[in-house]
Amino acid sequence: METNTIKSENPSKLDSIQHLNTKSISDKKPKHKFLKTSANPWGIVVLVSTFILMLGAVYLVYLLQNDFDQYHLDKVNSVWGLSFLGLGIGLLLFKGGMFLYNLYLYARYRSIKSVSDEELPTVTVIVPAYNEGKQVYDTLMSLAKSDFPKQKLQLLSIDDGSKDNTWYWMKEAKEVLGERLAIFQQPKNKGKRHALYRGFKMGSGDIFVTVDSDSIVNPDTLRNLVSPFVTNENCGAVAGNIRVLNNKKALLPKMLDVSFTLSFEFVRSAESKFKSVLCTPGALAAYRKTAVFGCLDAWINQTFMGKPSDIGEDRAMTNMILKQGYHVLFQRNAYAFTNVPERYKGLYKMFIRWGRSNVRENIEMSKYVFTDFRQGNKFGPRLLFISQSLKIIMSYPLILFMFVFIATHPILFLSSTLVSILILSSFPVLFYAKRYNKISESFWAYSYSILYTFGLFWITPYAIATASRSGWLTRELSQKK
């Protein structure tokens, strides 16, 4: 079903969306905000507890220094212990080298500035929606407010058989935006990949932009996102910069906002210098039309172990575009704010889905990354593939070592792990604080690392063991819209 009726804009409804969190964020740092977290008493309890744990661990390590020395001596005198020690040192050196190299690449990274209105390509924005409620209305309105030539912008939104009032809010958006927006309704829920496929088939723009229906964009996001296609004719896809929209509602989003800053801004800036960003996120990504149609049939019909792939559509599309020899870049100045899970159950299900997709696409990447798949230097994508593969391959040995360590020396394990978190998580703390001038919020990196280490360590091994399973996992979660 589709709506084609053209209706005039309703200024009152346009005014009603001014509350959206679409305040433009440039590459420059925003104004300083200190101790904003203090408004949340439960947040203070969690942060104080985090520091008590880590500082207590530092004191324990100091007290138990002789025990640590004996433990290391026992490992050196054991064949298995020596093997694990050597493996651990090798992994540490590799990871340390990768971090320093990424730091160097990040320092050299620069966003591509927006090109002029005349140079901007025609763009089709595709917004798939499922059980999104009013949020899809806010998403579409934020896109309509984009600083982008209207005659070059096509907005499409597809309701993927929602069971709530998503279609109602899409029609409300249509009433306001008129011919600027086309909305369609799938007869039944077929999955996000099929909704996007319909959008790709109908889109008329030279560039496709995909935006999740729970995301809000800045006015300059679209023009910044698509500018690399103008300046680089080999660019096949661009990843946007993802921040957390609901980070004032719960503690998990606060933690994820800091985590996303590291994984998107730091890691993908480095990957972009290799012209090989491994995943263009579903929340905000852009693709050259010719690159999409070069792999569209393979993408929609993709299977894993004989089953249709209904997850990881963004990573799969990125992988297939890289395989064609295109460059995949990151635009730090193209922001989208997206909702993330607010509860542990939603969080681990999201990570399982990402983990399974990572396993599948690493296997696919192994089939071409060491071939002559594109012109020029291929060192970058190969190094990134090796780094990703090591994380997958070593997940079981490392978790086995962890359980043995816990069983034999629980106090040593707990204290050394917490001290490691204090040391290693200080970089994302400093990175976030410097990037956004939000010192108190940056401390959530410590709490998140503790949560991930003790509460989500099982994700990668479980994702490997269940990589063949299908299912979105979080699509049916009840949420307030």
Side-chain angles (χ1 to χ4, degrees):
M1 180 178 180
E2 59 188 76
T3 298
N4 293 315
T5 306
I6 299 175
K7 299 192 177 182
S8 60
E9 291 191 1
N10 184 334
S12 64
K13 286 190 177 180
L14 282 173
D15 292 340
S16 71
I17 64 169
Q18 296 302 319
H19 68 282
L20 296 177
N21 185 17
T22 55
K23 194 172 184 179
S24 179
I25 297 179
S26 66
D27 278 352
K28 295 182 180 180
K29 295 180 289 187
K31 293 182 179 180
H32 180 72
K33 296 179 181 179
F34 186 67
L35 288 180
K36 198 168 184 177
T37 305
S38 61
N40 186 337
W42 178 238
I44 293 177
V45 171
V46 172
L47 285 178
V48 170
S49 300
T50 296
F51 279 101
I52 289 175
L53 280 173
M54 293 188 298
L55 294 177
V58 171
Y59 183 62
L60 266 179
V61 169
Y62 172 75
L63 289 180
L64 301 174
Q65 193 59 53
N66 290 335
D67 298 87
F68 277 104
D69 291 340
Q70 184 61 47
Y71 174 74
H72 291 141
L73 184 62
D74 291 341
K75 283 205 299 184
V76 170
N77 293 329
S78 164
V79 175
W80 282 103
L82 192 59
S83 299
F84 267 103
L85 182 62
L87 182 62
I89 291 174
L91 286 173
L92 184 63
L93 290 174
F94 178 79
K95 289 294 184 181
M98 279 294 295
F99 169 75
L100 292 175
Y101 195 24
N102 283 341
L103 190 61
Y104 165 73
L105 293 173
Y106 173 80
R108 295 183 59 208
Y109 170 84
R110 297 292 183 274
S111 298
I112 294 170
K113 294 182 179 179
S114 171
V115 298
S116 66
D117 285 0
E118 293 73 22
E119 294 175 293
L120 285 171
T122 56
V123 170
T124 296
V125 180
I126 306 167
V127 183
Y130 179 71
N131 290 352
E132 205 59 68
K134 187 180 183 296
Q135 181 61 56
V136 68
Y137 177 89
D138 295 340
T139 297
L140 293 170
M141 289 302 169
S142 76
L143 288 165
K145 291 170 62 181
S146 295
D147 176 20
F148 204 94
K150 292 182 180 180
Q151 70 276 12
K152 291 187 175 183
L153 183 62
Q154 177 189 29
L155 295 179
L156 304 178
S157 187
I158 296 99
D159 175 17
D160 187 30
S162 296
K163 300 173 184 178
D164 65 353
N165 61 351
T166 295
W167 180 240
Y168 166 81
W169 285 108
M170 287 173 62
K171 289 190 292 184
E172 288 292 293
K174 174 67 177 177
E175 182 180 345
V176 175
L177 300 176
E179 63 181 355
R180 296 179 60 194
L181 171 67
I183 62 175
F184 305 88
Q185 190 175 38
Q186 301 277 64
K188 64 177 182 178
N189 177 241
K190 299 177 68 177
K192 183 179 179 182
R193 191 177 297 227
H194 285 272
L196 287 172
Y197 179 79
R198 184 174 182 179
F200 290 143
K201 283 291 189 178
M202 293 186 301
S204 60
D206 292 325
I207 304 298
F208 294 135
V209 172
T210 63
V211 179
D212 279 350
S213 54
D214 60 353
S215 299
I216 300 297
V217 301
N218 283 338
D220 62 352
T221 291
L222 291 183
R223 64 185 307 124
N224 288 337
L225 185 69
V226 304
S227 289
F229 295 102
V230 178
T231 61
N232 181 349
E233 62 181 10
N234 292 321
C235 178
V238 177
N241 193 355
I242 309 303
R243 298 290 306 281
V244 173
L245 180 64
N246 55 332
N247 64 342
K248 299 296 185 289
K249 293 183 178 181
L251 298 188
L252 279 181
K254 291 178 183 292
M255 299 180 193
L256 289 172
D257 192 34
V258 182
S259 173
F260 277 17
T261 299
L262 187 71
S263 60
F264 281 93
E265 295 207 25
F266 181 70
V267 175
R268 288 185 182 173
S269 293
E271 291 179 348
S272 191
K273 291 300 294 181
F274 287 136
K275 300 179 176 62
S276 303
V277 174
L278 296 183
C279 182
T280 50
L284 179 66
Y287 307 99
R288 193 181 294 275
K289 185 174 186 176
T290 52
V292 169
F293 279 89
C295 62
L296 191 58
D297 288 342
W299 179 76
I300 193 62
N301 295 309
Q302 186 184 33
T303 61
F304 183 79
M305 296 183 69
K307 299 178 182 178
S309 293
D310 58 358
I311 59 172
E313 74 291 329
D314 48 3
R315 177 75 196 274
M317 178 63 75
T318 310
N319 213 3
M320 291 179 181
I321 288 175
L322 280 170
K323 185 179 179 180
Q324 294 177 65
Y326 286 103
H327 298 165
V328 179
L329 307 176
F330 167 68
Q331 274 289 76
R332 184 170 61 191
N333 56 5
Y335 284 88
F337 300 83
T338 193
N339 283 316
V340 297
E342 297 177 10
R343 298 180 180 276
Y344 175 75
K345 184 177 181 180
L347 182 64
Y348 78 66
K349 287 188 173 184
M350 181 181 75
F351 282 159
I352 289 171
R353 190 176 74 246
W354 289 1
R356 287 172 179 166
S357 174
N358 191 43
V359 172
R360 296 180 184 190
E361 295 306 320
N362 254 55
I363 293 173
E364 291 301 313
M365 194 173 184
S366 69
K367 298 175 182 178
Y368 72 84
V369 73
F370 293 106
T371 67
D372 190 23
F373 69 98
R374 80 179 186 192
Q375 295 180 348
N377 194 315
K378 290 169 273 292
F379 169 75
R382 289 169 180 171
L383 180 62
L384 294 173
F385 167 76
I386 291 171
S387 180
Q388 288 279 321
S389 298
L390 275 177
K391 180 181 177 181
I392 295 172
I393 293 169
M394 293 307 303
S395 62
Y396 282 106
L398 289 178
I399 204 169
L400 175 62
F401 171 75
M402 183 184 77
F403 283 136
V404 172
F405 196 4
I406 292 173
T408 56
H409 302 85
I411 302 301
L412 297 187
F413 167 79
L414 182 63
S415 58
S416 61
T417 300
L418 288 172
V419 170
S420 298
I421 288 172
L422 175 61
I423 296 170
L424 298 177
S425 296
S426 292
F427 176 75
V429 168
L430 295 173
F431 183 83
Y432 185 90
K434 178 175 174 56
R435 184 76 182 96
Y436 292 107
N437 272 349
K438 296 180 178 180
I439 296 175
S440 60
E441 282 87 344
S442 69
F443 294 146
W444 288 110
Y446 293 121
S447 301
Y448 177 76
S449 293
I450 291 175
L451 170 66
Y452 193 90
T453 301
F454 295 98
L456 297 167
F457 65 90
W458 54 273
I459 294 291
T460 299
Y462 182 77
I464 295 171
T466 61
S468 63
R469 291 188 187 178
S470 300
W472 194 258
L473 297 178
T474 56
R475 287 172 66 88
E476 299 297 336
L477 290 178
S478 59
Q479 298 179 28
K480 290 183 180 180
K481 302 295 184 184

